[in-house]
Amino acid sequence: MKYGFFDDERKEYVITNPQTPFPWINYLGNEDFFSLISNTAGGYSFYKDAKFRRLNRYRYNNVPIDNGGRYFYINDGGTIWSPGWKPVKTELDKYECRHGLSYTSVKGEKNGIEAEVVFFVPLNSWCEIQKMKLTNKGNKTKKVKLFSLIEWCLWNAEDDQNNLQRNLSTGEVEIHGSTLYHKTEYKERRNHYAFYYVNAPVQGYDTDRESFIGLYNEFSHPDVVVTGKSKNSEAHGWSPIASHCIEVELQAGESKEYVFLLGYVENEEDQKWESKGVINKTKAKALINKFDTTDKVNQALHELSIYWKNLLSIYSLDSEDKKLDRMVNIWNQYQCMVTFNMSRSASFFEVGIGRGMGFRDSNQDLIGFVHQIPERARERIIDIASTQFEDGGAYHQYQPLTKRGNDAVGGNFNDDPLWLILSTTAYIKETGDFSILEEMVPFDNDESLAKTHFEHLKASFYHVTNNLGPHQLPLIGRADWNDCLNLNCFSKDPNESFQTTENQTGGSAESVMIAGLFVVYGRDYVELCRKTGKKNEADEAQKHVDNMVKAIKKNGWDGEWYLRAYDFFGKKVGSQKNEEGKIFIESQGWCTMAEIGMEDGMCEKALNSVKEHLDCEYGIVLNNPAFTEYVIEYGEISTYPAGYKENAGIFCHNNPWVIIGETLIGRGDQAWEYFRKICPSYLEEISDLHKTEPYVYAQMIAGKDASRPGEAKNSWLSGTAAWNYYTITQYILGIKPSYDGLEISPCIPKSWKSYRVSRKFRGALYEISIDNSAGVNCGIKELKVNGEIIKSHIVPIQKAGTINKIIVVLG
Ligand code: BGC
Ligand code: NOJ
């Protein structure tokens, strides 16, 4: 069952039934100021950091779901309704939500009145704009009352939940006409405040929640809205809110527009006050002045659409399959940009309080957006590397506001350092900018420890070789990419987190996944050394890579597939010998990507085993058989019920690793089948089962052992977005940036006849047509660049500004 449809022309997903199986959300904002918004306008806004600078309150995990947001109420002669259906939930005559690129519009109609609100965060501005249009579609003049509502929480969002003895006494506001200011804690250590404005005179306002709603009422029927009269309340402590009331008279057929603006301001320490106790509003007024008319707002919306048009013009596909085109051209790229901005911090599954910017997560996310905003990718790489330790190890995450690493979500994950090689080489291949390697970058944010960025990559590489176990495989540390394979944890206490408790020492748990990862990015490191004239270092590093290949072949192979690990005691994990968890996906992915034992048929065998044991109707599960008991020496992985999350869920992030492996052995049909199974646009028809948005990937789809296989969770913020984008564009469609040009190596289903890709690369445009009339999976018979046949599969870098025709004939 569907709840809407894709409008490809407008690059929107249109929701026609507000009761989606889970709130279907969108992200507003591209830099600094962000909002989350659901299809009923639930959600919240923040400046840079959803923990430290959250403007308004949102209630996660509540009943009913999705409580808190920017709410509008209309009182039309006693009938009360909301354009987004919630919170009033009066049945609407019409409802439509359009999630677009950095904007969302919500439209409701009741008894001849239509209300349409367009929400967006303008470029380079710290505010959310809500453009409201009310239309009288009937044939009589109507008078309605329009109320707005947001609930402030501009303080530490974590504290908001647990320090009530303080928070309920600190709230302070200022009221100036149609602008309601929230200035809690401003007089002490904050130099920032927020405000909510509307560009029309108000008949009344409220800033105190209890006055507005009534202590025992609900958001659905606030006192003020029901009685139709604001109380002009002034909050002192308790829970400050901001609500405007506007009386609107509409002739038959008439429309009126209003601009609401939720803004954030920071002042210099010595510029905080206008007079004693009165906040300096100069910046707030300037912000208001920028957007106080519909024309100005429409212009800002237009600028936003140009911004996206440019970003999406870098890679675009024209294939025979609309569902694929809309993912590649619009939604997958869009999701990659959101993961760039959010890492794993704020979604409807991530409460924006922990998890900041992940070291491994942010490095991997980069492969999904580096082609769009290379300068910001560069900045991100440097930010991440600045949190690295001198020995190559890393904080697992850093806080976006401070850019400082912290241990809040644990540390000592031994895969972390290697992802820095991935992001850096991806950046250089895209841009040709080797100068990043010479940049001086601190260790642990300490400038006195700064070394070149290249030295950081070197430290990453040797962090692995300096931490090998008895089988010459990398020690796993707290865990590797699979956070839940906690081989040193041995936790017995339900109150401790597997991610942060102290590990036991004295064991020697090793990871075959890190070994494969090391071979892949170790080779990239060697190549980079050669490109930059570091021959000795390249030779030295190559030896380590060769040794790792040997170690995997000798100690990492189980006969039919690659082992997953050795546990604390040196026992095999992911082997025929195990009762449960005999085979795991991660090492099959990485060791085939590293082509370990390709010559002996190991890759093909391992991939056949994936098909046999891990594949199911909805994707490839993480391990099999699922764990049915808690295995103390494995940790969190065995805590999940079978079929969910890391215990045999379809953890979508790692499916692409196998897909890439399939393309490397030339099995385009199989690669495509796996890709399609988890690609959201192909799951739209089963939205009632799948539950999460059909336009973005979810982290996890319940696997074959679950009670509801196919049901997804944790949408939006997942490495799945970047890896799937990388896989479809570079390995299936086969257009790969490389140091020397655009490498062309498609691996597609035999049934595809042709497709075209337009790719901007290093300033030139490449219009690539792929002809597969031969009906093959892969292999290039002929490659022409501007009419000339070339022997290589790498199209040399063309002059900036040129348009180049590349004709590829497969066969
Ligand atoms: C989840 C992982 C996650 C980790 C760190 C675990 O509970 O299963 O997917 O990466 O927590 O937050
Ligand atoms: C989610 C985390 O964000 C990511 O870092 C981790 O690799 C996966 N879970 C797998 O456990």
Side-chain angles (χ1 to χ4, degrees):
M1 179 182 163
K2 300 208 298 178
Y3 293 81
F5 59 92
F6 285 93
D7 183 339
D8 293 330
E9 200 55 42
R10 294 173 54 154
K11 302 188 172 53
E12 293 172 338
Y13 191 81
V14 188
I15 299 164
T16 48
N17 175 353
Q19 298 187 59
T20 48
F22 201 75
W24 283 0
I25 76 161
N26 194 11
Y27 285 83
L28 314 176
N30 291 285
E31 207 169 348
D32 297 344
F33 192 98
F34 299 100
S35 302
L36 283 71
I37 182 164
S38 72
N39 56 306
T40 63
Y44 59 92
S45 305
F46 59 93
Y47 170 76
K48 281 191 183 168
D49 192 313
K51 175 177 179 182
F52 292 128
R53 294 286 186 278
R54 187 181 299 206
L55 270 70
N56 43 333
R57 190 173 279 152
Y58 181 77
R59 291 174 176 75
Y60 278 95
N61 203 10
N62 219 291
V63 181
I65 197 157
D66 191 16
N67 256 357
R70 53 302 262 168
Y71 288 145
F72 289 101
Y73 301 87
I74 290 164
N75 184 333
D76 175 6
T79 303
I80 293 167
W81 58 281
S82 291
W85 183 61
K86 271 195 73 159
V88 183
K89 296 201 282 184
T90 298
E91 199 177 321
L92 298 172
D93 299 335
K94 279 190 195 151
Y95 159 89
E96 185 182 89
C97 164
R98 288 179 172 262
H99 283 317
L101 303 176
S102 300
Y103 67 88
T104 285
S105 91
V106 172
K107 189 157 75 178
E109 189 180 319
K110 184 80 192 168
N111 298 343
I113 298 289
E114 180 189 89
E116 181 181 13
V117 200
V118 181
F119 301 87
F120 72 106
V121 172
L123 294 171
N124 309 314
S125 302
W126 297 349
C127 63
E128 176 184 299
I129 290 178
Q130 304 155 0
K131 185 175 70 137
M132 156 77 76
K133 184 174 179 186
L134 286 172
T135 305
N136 181 355
K137 299 186 111 181
N139 48 19
K140 279 197 223 115
T141 301
K142 270 211 165 185
K143 263 191 189 168
V144 299
K145 286 193 175 154
L146 170 67
F147 295 90
S148 64
L149 173 69
I150 57 136
E151 193 184 4
W152 298 117
C153 87
L154 184 51
W155 44 64
N156 183 332
E158 188 171 22
D159 204 43
D160 184 50
Q161 305 298 315
N162 59 31
N163 196 5
L164 306 187
Q165 62 82 26
R166 172 179 161 82
N167 297 341
L168 295 182
S169 289
T170 52
E172 287 189 284
V173 299
E174 269 184 44
I175 298 150
H176 290 268
S178 302
T179 315
L180 308 170
Y181 293 88
H182 178 236
K183 59 172 186 180
T184 302
E185 294 186 347
Y186 185 75
K187 75 165 174 295
E188 25 132 349
R189 293 156 297 168
R190 294 187 186 278
N191 61 356
H192 46 264
Y193 61 80
F195 64 89
Y196 195 31
Y197 156 89
V198 60
N199 69 343
V202 292
Q203 271 66 52
Y205 61 84
D206 276 284
T207 65
D208 171 57
R209 191 180 76 200
E210 188 180 326
S211 310
F212 180 78
I213 297 187
L215 189 56
Y216 293 101
N217 289 343
E218 288 165 27
F219 281 115
S220 59
H221 287 84
D223 243 4
V224 159
V225 177
V226 172
T227 58
K229 201 162 168 30
S230 295
K231 293 184 183 156
N232 295 348
S233 56
E234 188 172 335
H236 295 282
W238 298 112
S239 301
I241 58 152
S243 167
H244 308 94
C245 169
I246 304 175
E247 275 176 22
V248 189
E249 184 174 307
L250 293 166
Q251 310 298 319
E254 193 191 3
S255 293
K256 282 192 178 151
E257 290 189 293
Y258 300 94
V259 178
F260 291 83
L261 191 153
L262 173 63
Y264 171 88
V265 167
E266 276 182 4
N267 278 334
E268 298 300 315
E269 191 63 36
D270 59 349
Q271 304 280 315
K272 283 179 75 164
W273 304 103
E274 192 172 301
S275 58
K276 187 168 164 55
V278 181
I279 56 180
N280 180 348
K281 303 184 183 63
T282 314
K283 286 189 187 169
K285 285 180 185 155
L287 191 54
I288 288 171
N289 187 41
K290 237 170 124 179
F291 301 114
D292 58 357
T293 66
T294 313
D295 283 351
K296 291 181 191 174
V297 166
N298 288 341
Q299 179 58 28
L301 259 173
H302 177 65
E303 282 162 19
L304 194 60
S305 73
I306 306 267
Y307 171 82
W308 272 108
K309 200 171 164 207
N310 288 335
L311 287 179
L312 296 182
S313 69
I314 296 159
Y315 193 117
S316 76
L317 167 69
D318 181 6
S319 78
E320 292 153 5
D321 184 345
K322 266 208 274 198
K323 291 184 179 166
L324 178 62
D325 286 2
R326 65 170 64 116
M327 285 314 292
V328 171
N329 296 338
I330 308 168
W331 294 100
N332 200 171
Q333 297 203 52
Y334 184 55
Q335 187 180 4
C336 287
M337 197 62 121
V338 171
T339 57
F340 156 64
N341 282 319
M342 302 289 139
S343 190
R344 304 297 170 270
S345 68
S347 73
F348 271 30
F349 300 89
E350 298 283 2
V351 298
I353 286 175
R355 312 237 359 228
M357 313 301 283
F359 192 97
R360 74 156 82 92
D361 295 331
S362 294
N363 276 312
Q364 291 174 77
D365 289 346
L366 195 130
I367 58 174
F369 69 83
V370 61
H371 63 293
Q372 294 183 319
I373 44 167
E375 326 71 48
R376 292 180 72 198
R378 190 184 205 273
E379 204 182 300
R380 173 61 53 85
I381 292 171
I382 302 295
D383 284 349
I384 300 171
S386 307
T387 66
Q388 191 178 26
F389 300 121
E390 271 185 298
D391 73 351
Y395 283 111
H396 200 46
Q397 70 130 32
Y398 67 95
Q399 216 50 44
L401 192 71
T402 59
K403 297 191 174 172
R404 296 275 155 160
N406 65 51
D407 288 324
V409 294
N412 198 21
F413 295 83
N414 281 347
D415 64 310
D416 271 341
L418 286 172
W419 303 107
L420 191 62
I421 301 179
L422 163 68
S423 62
T424 307
T425 51
Y427 168 77
I428 302 176
K429 285 177 187 166
E430 180 66 37
T431 58
D433 172 20
F434 284 90
S435 78
I436 189 174
L437 298 172
E438 305 310 320
E439 190 93 2
M440 293 301 283
V441 183
F443 282 101
D444 198 4
N445 283 108
D446 181 345
E447 289 294 344
S448 73
L449 301 178
K451 287 200 180 141
T452 63
H453 185 63
F454 177 78
E455 290 296 324
H456 282 257
L457 301 189
K458 190 170 175 185
S460 291
F461 181 91
Y462 289 102
H463 188 268
V464 175
T465 58
N466 290 336
N467 290 285
L468 296 180
H471 299 92
Q472 296 308 299
L473 295 166
L475 291 171
I476 198 166
R478 179 176 294 281
D480 59 24
W481 171 87
N482 188 335
D483 282 352
C484 299
L485 196 60
N486 315 113
L487 300 182
N488 296 308
C489 186
F490 297 91
S491 179
K492 286 192 179 140
D493 177 357
N495 297 320
E496 67 188 15
S497 151
F498 288 96
Q499 306 296 325
T500 49
T501 51
E502 204 165 309
N503 278 328
Q504 257 185 46
T505 51
S508 54
E510 297 164 279
S511 161
V512 177
M513 174 188 159
I514 304 184
L517 193 68
F518 175 78
V519 173
V520 172
Y521 297 122
R523 285 186 186 135
D524 278 1
Y525 174 73
V526 170
E527 188 186 12
L528 193 64
C529 291
R530 296 214 187 282
K531 287 267 162 215
T532 50
K534 300 178 183 67
K535 185 179 173 308
N536 293 344
E537 175 56 16
D539 293 343
E540 177 62 26
Q542 184 64 50
K543 284 186 212 146
H544 290 288
V545 173
D546 294 343
N547 289 341
M548 193 65 80
V549 172
K550 276 189 215 133
I552 300 175
K553 287 175 88 168
K554 180 154 175 256
N555 300 318
W557 181 249
D558 194 53
E560 295 294 318
W561 55 77
Y562 303 95
L563 285 175
R564 177 62 177 87
Y566 286 91
D567 72 12
F568 185 89
F569 309 105
K571 289 209 298 246
K572 290 177 179 174
V573 181
S575 157
Q576 278 290 6
K577 293 203 170 67
N578 300 108
E579 282 291 303
E580 297 184 333
K582 286 176 184 286
I583 171 171
F584 284 70
I585 192 171
E586 303 97 325
S587 42
Q588 315 318 319
W590 282 101
C591 294
T592 52
M593 282 166 80
E595 304 187 356
I596 309 283
M598 179 77 101
E599 61 291 354
D600 308 325
M602 283 162 73
C603 296
E604 198 177 334
K605 246 190 194 169
L607 290 169
N608 290 344
S609 300
V610 168
K611 176 88 188 143
E612 190 182 336
H613 302 285
L614 300 178
D615 182 30
C616 77
E617 189 181 348
Y618 301 105
I620 312 169
V621 301
L622 194 145
N623 55 295
N624 184 258
F627 295 103
T628 53
E629 283 173 16
Y630 178 47
V631 187
I632 192 166
E633 63 269 33
Y634 288 4
E636 189 168 356
I637 189 167
S638 59
T639 64
Y640 286 112
Y644 294 96
K645 291 279 283 178
E646 279 88 346
N647 185 16
I650 297 155
F651 213 96
C652 301
H653 186 144
N654 55 36
N655 279 222
W657 301 339
V658 166
I659 299 174
I660 294 177
E662 287 287 351
T663 65
L664 295 179
I665 63 165
R667 297 202 296 207
D669 283 283
Q670 185 59 71
W672 173 247
E673 188 193 313
Y674 286 145
F675 179 84
R676 199 179 170 287
K677 276 188 184 172
I678 60 166
C679 182
S681 58
Y682 294 87
L683 305 174
E684 191 191 13
E685 312 283 339
I686 55 160
S687 285
D688 41 344
L689 167 67
H690 184 69
K691 276 201 167 139
T692 58
E693 298 90 339
Y695 42 92
V696 290
Y697 284 95
Q699 180 205 59
M700 196 263 317
I701 301 174
K704 55 185 173 177
D705 309 284
S707 60
R708 278 188 301 278
E711 183 184 77
K713 287 197 188 95
N714 301 2
S715 57
W716 278 100
L717 303 187
S718 165
T720 308
W723 274 103
N724 277 285
Y725 185 70
Y726 179 75
T727 302
I728 182 72
T729 56
Q730 301 201 20
Y731 288 88
I732 296 180
L733 299 170
I735 317 292
K736 242 189 199 173
S738 75
Y739 295 116
D740 305 317
L742 265 191
E743 187 182 329
I744 315 281
S745 54
C747 185
I748 56 174
K750 291 198 179 93
S751 59
W752 287 12
K753 295 272 168 295
S754 66
Y755 60 94
R756 283 182 309 195
V757 170
S758 145
R759 176 69 154 99
K760 287 187 190 152
F761 179 63
R762 311 236 191 133
L765 180 66
Y766 300 74
E767 288 176 344
I768 307 161
S769 323
I770 312 276
D771 171 356
N772 189 28
S773 21
V776 296
N777 285 132
C778 56
I780 294 179
K781 199 161 101 195
E782 187 181 276
L783 203 166
K784 276 192 196 154
V785 179
N786 294 325
E788 303 249 330
I789 296 183
I790 63 163
K791 285 267 169 302
S792 150
H793 292 171
I794 300 184
V795 178
I797 296 162
Q798 304 293 309
K799 269 239 286 304
T802 55
I803 300 178
N804 304 280
K805 296 248 172 284
I806 318 298
I807 314 258
V808 184
V809 181
L810 302 185

